[in-house]
Amino acid sequence: MIIIRNRLLPFPSFAAINIFGVLFCRPDTKVTPRLINHERIHTRQMLEMAILPFYLWYLIEWLVRLPHDGNAYYHISFEREAYLHEHDKHYLEHRKWYAWWRHMKRAPKR
């Protein structure tokens, strides 16, 4: 994974953002194996959705979840899958296609 450190991306409240498989992070962000694994899960999600539909779905799902309790970001199915499995360095070896879909039904309370 290509990592680019800069002051513009991501927005100040985030440590990193994955854009087309390239990880942009702030200069002070600690890039850990857990963070890399989280972002690799997102890269797999992007590839299985042909990239642009991933970003459209992400945005739509975020908008739909805005009125719900808590932070909409943590309720997005892509994020729920990535956070749930970011500690498992072998997750992508056995991950099924569209595994994020099972996280669509209901968002847990935080």
Side-chain angles (χ1 to χ4, degrees):
M1 177 170 280
I2 297 170
I3 300 169
I4 298 174
R5 292 182 179 276
N6 70 91
R7 297 185 192 292
L8 300 175
L9 286 174
F11 302 116
S13 60
F14 295 94
I17 187 170
N18 183 342
I19 301 176
F20 303 113
V22 176
L23 185 63
F24 292 87
C25 44
R26 298 192 129 337
D28 60 340
T29 298
K30 184 176 180 185
V31 179
T32 64
R34 180 175 139 195
L35 175 63
I36 295 290
N37 199 42
H38 180 102
E39 298 304 334
R40 283 186 175 148
I41 293 169
H42 286 319
T43 299
R44 183 70 58 88
Q45 294 164 341
M46 286 177 215
L47 292 174
E48 71 191 6
M49 291 191 70
I51 300 175
L52 289 179
F54 167 84
Y55 290 105
L56 289 172
W57 190 288
Y58 194 105
L59 177 63
I60 291 167
E61 191 173 343
W62 179 75
L63 290 170
V64 166
R65 295 188 187 280
L66 269 177
H68 296 103
D69 291 341
N71 187 329
Y73 165 81
Y74 291 107
H75 295 289
I76 297 169
S77 56
F78 299 122
E79 294 300 339
R80 293 177 64 209
E81 179 192 9
Y83 278 111
L84 184 64
H85 299 287
E86 66 186 10
H87 296 288
D88 182 357
K89 64 182 179 179
H90 300 290
Y91 176 65
L92 291 175
E93 296 169 16
H94 56 82
R95 178 186 180 268
K96 296 191 185 323
W97 279 69
Y98 297 96
W100 56 269
W101 184 257
R102 65 187 179 107
H103 298 284
M104 286 288 297
K105 292 191 178 196
R106 61 183 165 84
K109 295 209 183 234
R110 278 191 158 260

